[in-house]
Amino acid sequence: MNKKILRIVIPVLIVIAIIGIYIVKNNNDNALENSGSDTSSATFDLNELKKEKLPIVLDFTSATCPPCREMEPTIHKLKEEYKGKVIIKSISVDADVKGIEDFPVKVTPTLFFFDEKGNPYKPSKDIDIQMIEYSSKADNKHIYTAREGLLTEDEFLKIFKDMGIK
């Protein structure tokens, strides 16, 4: 009799445990996805951000990206500490946001940097952080400066200092 009960109870407990893990994981993913990304709008307009006359950091992120999740607390902290000094905009590549298709995002996170005039940030020779500079095929004009991958808070601060952000 006990063996029959165990044969029923054990599989039921395993199924309940799997369902519980699934629910907890999905709730954590949703919390991370909504905890600081500015993805509520359906349109992204860089020209509108440039009107603020502040340096700009665009953070292209994804809810399924572990480095994005790791960097998210740093992004949130910097948004608060540098409010009014730099615009830090997180954009989810998972969302259907118009206006992001012009950016050469191959991996997440990818960050794009613009100075207070709206021009692509030009890193000085003192910056030892790997950046990618994109140029227009038509006229070889510098159009983007990007960082693919995780940045630490110290690396952000080095870039901010190099951009003249205090």
Side-chain angles (χ1 to χ4, degrees), residues 69-94:
R69 288 184 190 166
E70 184 178 338
M71 195 168 63
E72 191 170 294
T74 300
I75 292 284
H76 184 71
K77 179 180 178 187
L78 293 173
K79 279 182 184 182
E80 293 299 316
E81 287 181 10
Y82 285 85
K83 189 177 260 183
K85 296 178 183 178
V86 62
I87 297 167
I88 303 173
K89 176 116 177 123
S90 296
I91 304 149
S92 174
V93 298
D94 302 324

Side-chain angles (χ1 to χ4, degrees), residues 5-64:
I5 292 173
L6 286 177
R7 285 184 188 165
I8 295 171
V9 170
I10 290 176
V12 169
L13 290 175
I14 291 172
V15 169
I16 290 171
I18 290 170
I19 291 170
I21 290 168
Y22 176 80
I23 290 169
V24 168
K25 183 185 177 329
N26 281 340
N27 283 341
N28 285 341
D29 287 349
N30 290 337
L32 286 168
E33 187 175 332
N34 297 322
S35 65
S37 295
D38 301 330
T39 58
S40 57
S41 65
T43 303
F44 168 73
D45 188 350
L46 179 59
N47 290 325
E48 284 298 313
L49 293 178
K50 288 180 179 181
K51 289 178 183 178
E52 298 291 325
K53 304 284 187 209
L54 292 172
I56 302 167
V57 178
L58 301 178
D59 168 33
F60 286 85
T61 186
S62 173
T64 60

Side-chain angles (χ1 to χ4, degrees), residues 66-165:
C68 298
R69 288 184 190 166
E70 184 178 338
M71 195 168 63
E72 191 170 294
T74 300
I75 292 284
H76 184 71
K77 179 180 178 187
L78 293 173
K79 279 182 184 182
E80 293 299 316
E81 287 181 10
Y82 285 85
K83 189 177 260 183
K85 296 178 183 178
V86 62
I87 297 167
I88 303 173
K89 176 116 177 123
S90 296
I91 304 149
S92 174
V93 298
D94 302 324
D96 185 20
V97 180
K98 298 206 183 313
I100 66 172
E101 59 275 348
D102 295 330
F103 289 88
V105 177
K106 299 176 210 156
V107 300
T108 55
T110 297
L111 300 127
F112 291 89
F113 299 87
F114 299 89
D115 66 18
E116 70 281 350
K117 295 177 184 171
N119 299 319
Y121 158 63
K122 193 86 166 142
S124 72
K125 293 179 180 168
D126 297 332
I127 293 294
D128 59 348
I129 300 166
Q130 185 177 0
M131 306 288 266
I132 302 168
E133 294 185 29
Y134 290 93
S135 299
S136 167
K137 290 181 182 178
D139 59 7
N140 207 30
K141 182 181 174 188
H142 182 205
I143 53 175
Y144 298 119
T145 298
R147 162 63 184 206
E148 291 179 342
L150 183 72
L151 277 179
T152 66
E153 183 175 351
D154 287 342
E155 290 171 323
F156 270 109
L157 295 177
K158 282 181 188 178
I159 293 169
F160 285 3
K161 182 178 180 185
D162 194 51
M163 292 176 79
I165 302 167

